[in-house]
Amino acid sequence: MMSPFFIILTLVSLLIHHSHTQPTCASQKFTNRILYDRCIDLPELGSYLHWSLDTVKNTVSIVFIAPPASPNGWISWAINPSGDGMVGSQALIGYKGFNGLMVVDTYNVSSYEDIIRGRLDFDVTDIKGENSDGVMRIFAKVDLPENGQTVVNQVWQVGGSVTEGGVPERHEFQPGNLGSKGSLDLLSGEISGGGDGGSKTKKRNIHGILNAVSWGILFPTGIMIARYLRTFPAADPAWFYIHGSLQVSAYAIGVAGWGTGMKLGSESKGVKYSGHRNIGIALFCLATLQVLAVFLRPKVGHKFRFYWNIYHHGTGYAVIILGILNIFKGLEILSPSSKWKLTYIIIISSLGVIAFVLEAFTWIVVFKRKSVNTSTKPNGTTDARP
Ligand code: HEM
Ligand SMILES: *[C@@H]1O[C@H](CO)[C@@H](O)[C@H](O)[C@H]1NC(C)=O
């Protein structure tokens, strides 16, 4: 009675096992009917590589298959003779041309900014492209950079758009896009490396969250408390302590976020987000001055207190404006899923609406007080705090 059950079980487990060891690429066929000796399912971006190595001529014929990030996007496979990442890659890039046919060209990727079409460090022939069933294919025959060197650093990538001049535009920086690299042993078919994009993405997300909470939420909220809570005589001097402790926490979190940003910047050699970086440094300086200035505050009633107030308020508003601006610049660079940007837009506009309502309310209160007692000073001068 047990035996048929066992046979079925064995068959099923064999099937499961078989489908695990048999790579998907093994079932891919090509219209040119060329059979390639080897293939692998690449670990990122749903892509595949097929190849035949000619150890006598020192060439390798490859097919790279990947789904572009959008139908009008691009795919790329490269050997990097000088490093293990994007910079230095000698790349083949394919995209859909004006007539809908695939265009494949060679590009010298000498930095994160310079993707220059033209000659590579090594010769590439028999270049061809195909586009069907949602995937693009690049065919080529590559003269291996060094004689007898059959282990190469490979880099691959997909992007969503191409300029009219035929230059691919920036790809996403998701874990898959940052981990699509590693060494490839053309003889044994073994691949390794890459995949460290995950930890980098984590670091970038931590950086983003710390800074958005600090500069983007806590600082503006603290300033709103200083501006609006003190309209109510009952909130004096409580508003001062709430304001102070909020700004100090915002500063602490902001400094942590700033530090992670500086570290990220120093880790991505050759990447320059100078705008984002410079605003970040300016924010750090302004906020540090702001915290230090509290200790140098002239007493209430001192003739310099007036100038100090102008300085303190001016710097505070500059921090809000630059902070929000830099969060949007950062979101642009990080390009997380759009819900994060939307979430921040909702938070900041809610704060904006609350500020607007309180502003109007403050003015009404101040005018009422004025008409009751003309000697009451307008908003901002109830100054009972220490
Ligand atoms: C088209 C314009 C391109 C731009 C503007 C661009 C920009 C960048 C930037 C700024 C990074 C670093 C992200 C970070 O460190 O946070 C990066 C990483 C990466 N890019 Fe590109 N890229 C482009 C094209 C390509 C192409 C054609 C390839 C394929 C050969 C590629 C493969 C990679 C890979 C594998 C990484 C992660 C590893 C590394 O940082 O080197 N990119 N890209
Ligand atoms: C690729 O660009 C780099 C930097 O501009 C340059 O040094 C190198 O010679 C270029 N490679 C080729 C094959 O032109």
Side-chain angles (χ1 to χ4, degrees), residues 74 76 78 85-86 89 91 93 112 115 155-157 168-171 173 177-178 180-181 200 204 268 271 273:
W74 52 269
S76 173
M86 170 179 151
S89 286
I93 303 184
Y112 283 119
I115 321 288
V155 182
W156 66 101
Q157 195 54 269
E169 295 192 288
R170 208 178 82 165
H171 51 82
F173 299 149
N177 303 87
L178 297 178
S180 49
K181 56 180 186 168
K200 184 159 205 179
R204 299 170 112 219
S268 312
V271 193
Y273 302 116

Side-chain angles (χ1 to χ4, degrees), residues 296-308:
L296 302 173
R297 188 179 66 222
K299 285 216 164 56
V300 177
H302 191 284
K303 60 179 177 179
F304 287 146
R305 179 62 176 236
F306 173 72
Y307 299 106
W308 187 89

Side-chain angles (χ1 to χ4, degrees), residues 26-98:
S27 61
Q28 292 169 329
K29 303 264 179 319
F30 303 105
T31 45
N32 62 9
R33 291 174 188 267
I34 291 179
L35 284 177
Y36 293 84
D37 296 337
R38 288 183 170 280
C39 79
I40 40 170
D41 297 356
L42 293 170
E44 307 287 354
L45 306 174
S47 22
Y48 307 91
L49 188 74
H50 297 248
W51 75 92
S52 293
L53 181 65
D54 185 333
T55 46
V56 177
K57 292 190 186 130
N58 208 44
T59 59
V60 62
S61 296
I62 62 117
V63 189
F64 172 66
I65 307 173
S70 87
N72 292 317
W74 52 269
I75 68 167
S76 173
W77 183 83
I79 288 179
N80 189 341
S82 58
D84 67 353
M86 170 179 151
V87 173
S89 286
Q90 304 293 297
L92 285 151
I93 303 184
Y95 57 92
K96 208 164 71 178
F98 289 121

Side-chain angles (χ1 to χ4, degrees), residues 5 7 17 43 51 55 117 121 148 178-179 210 212-213 256 348 351 376:
F5 182 69
I7 291 169
H17 191 71
W51 75 92
T55 46
R117 185 179 6 219
D121 278 354
L178 297 178
L210 286 176
V213 167
I348 200 67
L351 283 179
T376 306

